[in-house]
Amino acid sequence: MHVCENPRVVEAAADTACTTPLICTSGSAATVVLTLLDALSAAGCVFAYHGDFDWPGIALANRVIGRYQAEPWRMAAADYEYLATRAQLQGTPSLPLTGPPIDATWDAELAPTMNALGIALHEEAALDLLLGDLQES
């Protein structure tokens, strides 16, 4: 089961008539979302998680991935580097990556790569890729 951070991913999936199950944390997962994920996990569901490529997003991903042994969903250093490069080539205004770095528990290269490029990427930067994955599921 796929889990995302931003409601825009759910809206876009609905707009494309995607029927793949998708849960949104709407930022930091609240008790109601954690209760749902706990119940689904106890029933044997396996999760794939995607969130923002900024330090708060990495902290949230660490919590979800750690708590549920979720698979990172397009959350590797190579994914970040590709999306950052694509955004620059497309002339998308970049958001500065601010705050103290947070290591990604699933990819030792992600934080150094993010630090080197210095660009924050919200989940919408990967929207086309995420929707493609959902359509294939």
Side-chain angles (χ1 to χ4, degrees), residues 5-6 13 21-22 27 32 36 40 44 50 53 62 68 77 85 88 100 109 120 124 130-131:
E5 180 181 343
N6 192 307
L22 177 63
V32 67
L36 173 62
L40 290 170
H50 189 275
F53 283 111
N62 280 341
Y68 301 106
T85 301
Q88 288 176 328
E109 294 303 313
E124 294 90 339
L130 301 177
L131 292 175

Side-chain angles (χ1 to χ4, degrees), residues 73-135:
W73 174 25
R74 294 196 181 262
M75 290 289 294
D79 298 309
Y80 168 80
E81 194 167 22
Y82 169 78
L83 292 169
T85 301
R86 183 173 79 166
Q88 288 176 328
L89 291 173
Q90 292 174 342
T92 305
S94 62
L95 300 169
L97 185 62
T98 60
I102 297 175
D103 289 331
T105 58
W106 66 92
D107 185 343
E109 294 303 313
L110 182 55
T113 301
M114 290 173 62
N115 226 14
L117 295 179
I119 298 169
L121 295 169
H122 291 160
E123 207 165 21
E124 294 90 339
L127 194 56
D128 61 322
L129 302 174
L130 301 177
L131 292 175
D133 293 344
L134 292 170
Q135 294 295 339

